[in-house]
Amino acid sequence: MATKDTVRPVTEDGKASQFVHSLAARAWRRAMRRPVGRLLHAARRRAALRRVAALRDALESVLVVCQGNICRSPYAAGALRRALHGEFAREIAVRSAGFLDAGRPAPRAAVTAAAGRGVDLSAHRSQRIDPMGVQRADLVIVMDERQERAVRLLFGKPRESILILADLLPAFGEARVIPDPVDQPLETFQRVYGQIDECLATLRAALAPPRG
């Protein structure tokens, strides 16, 4: 008679059953991930647009941040500068920075892809994010959740003043991130810059002053 302390061996049938249950659980999680992701993305997108609209009238400075400040954030800053030109009676300063060392140029593929979209990165050199730059910015734009958390924890920036750019994508993707194209081919840069442009079109519309 087995006691409560008896260790029952796992039979081959038991292992097979555990394997089937594991496969079923993973399949269920995969099946649920996309509809749940779509719902979360829609809610985050609405919240991001409300946050941007609340900043619109006082917005004077934007800081765009990515990991190295050689691919995503310099392109996004240049494209946003062009998008906002002439929209406001006041000048809105748009700068970019990253978490790595300063002084590095944009990769050739970045320069080529950006030039095809009207942004010149040929003279760009990376800048390192610093407390003064973060505090001076009315809005900090980041590329993913980790960067958003870093800006909050390292520099004390309130969540209401930070925008995860991927939250403005028209539709839910695989993750809440604008992917880093560094060391990737030109086609990857073109695809990523296309995503950034989609987000910036939404941001521009949210920031545009009401037409009387």
Side-chain angles (χ1 to χ4, degrees), residues 110-121:
V111 175
T112 301
R117 295 174 177 272
V119 175
D120 184 5
L121 295 183

Side-chain angles (χ1 to χ4, degrees), residues 8-23:
R8 299 180 183 275
V10 178
T11 65
E12 292 300 321
D13 286 345
K15 289 179 181 178
S17 177
Q18 289 175 359
F19 180 69
V20 170
H21 282 301
S22 175
L23 286 179

Side-chain angles (χ1 to χ4, degrees), residues 36-133:
V36 170
R38 281 197 296 265
L39 289 173
L40 286 174
H41 179 71
R44 287 167 177 156
R45 194 171 193 268
R46 289 192 297 269
L49 290 172
R50 286 195 298 269
R51 193 177 308 139
V52 169
L55 294 170
R56 180 179 59 202
D57 293 336
L59 187 68
E60 293 184 352
S61 178
V62 177
L63 177 65
V64 189
V65 175
C66 71
Q67 183 68 9
N69 189 225
I70 58 172
C71 298
R72 293 169 292 177
S73 59
Y75 173 76
L80 182 59
R81 218 174 278 124
R82 292 176 69 242
L84 295 182
H85 181 70
E87 285 289 339
F88 292 85
R90 64 187 183 278
E91 183 71 23
I92 295 180
V94 181
R95 298 175 298 108
S96 68
F99 292 94
L100 302 182
D101 291 338
R104 297 177 302 135
R108 181 178 300 177
V111 175
T112 301
R117 295 174 177 272
V119 175
D120 184 5
L121 295 183
S122 60
H124 173 76
R125 295 296 181 270
S126 62
Q127 299 294 319
R128 189 163 186 171
I129 190 171
D130 64 86
M132 183 67 71

